[in-house]
Amino acid sequence: MADRRLQVFHAVAKHLSFTRAADALFMTQPAVTFQIKQLEEQYSTRLFERRHGSISLTPAGELVLGYAERILALSDEMETRLSEMTGEMRGPLLVGASTTIAEFMLPRVLGEFNALYPQVRARLIVANSESIESRVAEHTLDVGLIEAPAKLSGLNSQICCEDELLVICAPDYPLATLKSVTPKVLADYEYISREPGSGTREISDAYFSANQVPLENLKTQMELGSPEALKGVVSTGLGFAIVSRAVVAKETQLGALASVPLNPPLTRSLYLVHPQDRFQSRLTTTFIDFAKKKLRELAL
């Protein structure tokens, strides 16, 4: 029920970009610009300074941002409280997930949750961990599932399960016959990496660095934006990749790809993130508890 112009302003203020705000709100950039212009005309003041291809908040914009965050949070709380008076679990649930979780873990979780609560309308947004974290922080998502702890202030991170990462390669690739492989050995082979901003990329980079393999020494052939793309390229024999065990379970079972454990092992925690200072509806808290339980079961 909150004024749409305030929602648009909030997104632009958080991103400091009309283009990124439009992407987050699933709007066109001209529509976002029009909404901001209307708001500025309503209050007869500029809310953003526009210069040299960048924008920043004016003092008036800073003031409006503080009120916008409180108004939007109260509006969400009112709508949720009213819906919960019926005693039923109903309404929209905006869930964001990093690519690996969304493609290989979350479908079963959402399916079983919908079976329990058919009046809930879940909507899944898929992006890399960095993007999901930003959308949760700007309150355009209720909850996010990502592959690294949240870095932005104002977010609460909860570990939901543990995930092992493995090396994958074509069955006839030289690494395929190994029982395990060290980071220093991997530096001699062609590497197919995830893109910057990916949780998998972040933890893989940290793993190589922690094991005295400088990132510039890796023979990185390309950077790809999804686990499916990684598997497709690796299957051609071009090189190896590092992915979650869940990502490659089907292919290794069928013999289409080989997986090799890392030595030392590489495991990571997967995280549920939500705004720290925002009212949590019964629907959101129920989903968080349900998702943690189911993801732990899937990780076993």
Side-chain angles (χ1 to χ4, degrees):
M1 294 178 65
D3 190 321
R4 180 61 169 169
R5 290 171 297 180
L6 278 184
Q7 294 173 332
V8 172
F9 166 80
H10 183 266
V12 176
K14 285 297 183 181
H15 286 286
L16 291 179
S17 165
F18 287 91
T19 301
R20 290 198 296 273
D23 290 341
L25 295 168
F26 306 99
M27 297 172 63
T28 64
Q29 184 175 332
V32 168
T33 303
F34 177 73
Q35 295 278 7
I36 297 300
K37 183 179 178 182
Q38 279 197 323
L39 198 61
E40 290 180 326
E41 289 177 353
Q42 178 179 343
Y43 294 111
S44 302
T45 186
R46 285 185 303 163
L47 302 176
F48 295 98
E49 294 286 358
R50 303 162 174 84
R51 60 168 71 90
H52 306 303
S54 64
I55 63 172
S56 61
L57 285 165
T58 63
E62 295 280 2
L63 178 68
V64 173
L65 177 59
Y67 280 100
E69 289 181 334
R70 290 153 60 189
I71 291 168
L72 293 173
L74 284 171
S75 177
D76 288 347
E77 181 177 343
M78 179 186 70
E79 291 187 25
T80 302
R81 288 269 172 89
L82 286 171
S83 68
E84 289 181 354
M85 288 179 70
T86 64
E88 295 183 11
M89 197 78 73
R90 61 168 61 241
L93 176 67
L94 301 177
V95 180
S98 62
T99 313
T100 297
I101 300 172
E103 291 182 2
F104 301 97
M105 300 177 184
L106 207 51
R108 180 174 167 183
V109 174
L110 289 175
E112 293 187 18
F113 190 77
N114 182 253
L116 286 175
Y117 306 106
Q119 299 300 317
V120 175
R121 301 188 309 278
R123 181 178 183 186
L124 176 61
I125 309 301
V126 183
N128 65 31
S129 293
E130 185 178 301
S131 179
I132 293 300
E133 182 181 343
S134 296
R135 294 188 185 193
V136 174
E138 70 193 20
H139 296 171
T140 58
L141 291 173
D142 296 316
V143 61
L145 293 99
I146 59 177
E147 301 162 16
K151 302 180 186 64
L152 298 178
S153 61
L155 292 181
N156 186 14
S157 299
Q158 300 180 38
I159 295 175
C160 59
C161 66
E162 298 296 321
D163 180 36
E164 182 183 6
L165 283 86
L166 305 169
V167 168
I168 62 168
C169 59
D172 57 352
Y173 195 71
L175 293 173
T177 59
L178 301 180
K179 297 295 183 183
S180 65
V181 62
T182 66
K184 289 185 178 179
V185 169
L186 290 177
D188 293 329
Y189 294 87
E190 293 77 12
Y191 180 35
I192 315 300
S193 171
R194 281 294 303 272
E195 85 288 4
S198 156
T200 301
R201 169 66 176 270
E202 181 179 344
I203 194 170
S204 299
D205 284 356
Y207 178 78
F208 281 115
S209 297
N211 286 278
Q212 288 75 53
V213 178
L215 299 180
E216 58 270 21
N217 288 359
L218 295 173
K219 297 181 179 179
T220 305
Q221 300 299 302
M222 60 182 71
E223 300 173 336
L224 300 174
S226 76
E228 290 295 343
L230 283 182
K231 290 190 292 185
V233 171
V234 165
S235 69
T236 68
L238 182 61
F240 75 92
I242 296 176
V243 300
S244 164
R245 178 185 292 276
V247 165
V248 75
K250 182 188 298 183
E251 287 80 4
T252 53
Q253 189 174 25
L254 295 173
L257 288 173
S259 64
V260 184
L262 284 157
N263 182 20
L266 176 57
T267 59
R268 63 179 172 187
S269 298
L270 302 182
Y271 293 83
L272 277 154
V273 296
H274 55 83
Q276 206 168 43
D277 58 349
R278 191 185 188 190
F279 161 77
Q280 287 293 312
S281 69
R282 184 163 62 96
L283 172 55
T284 302
T285 55
T286 300
F287 176 76
I288 288 172
D289 291 341
F290 181 86
K292 284 195 292 187
K293 178 183 176 182
K294 287 298 176 182
L295 287 170
R296 283 171 183 157
E297 290 176 1
L298 290 173
L300 294 178

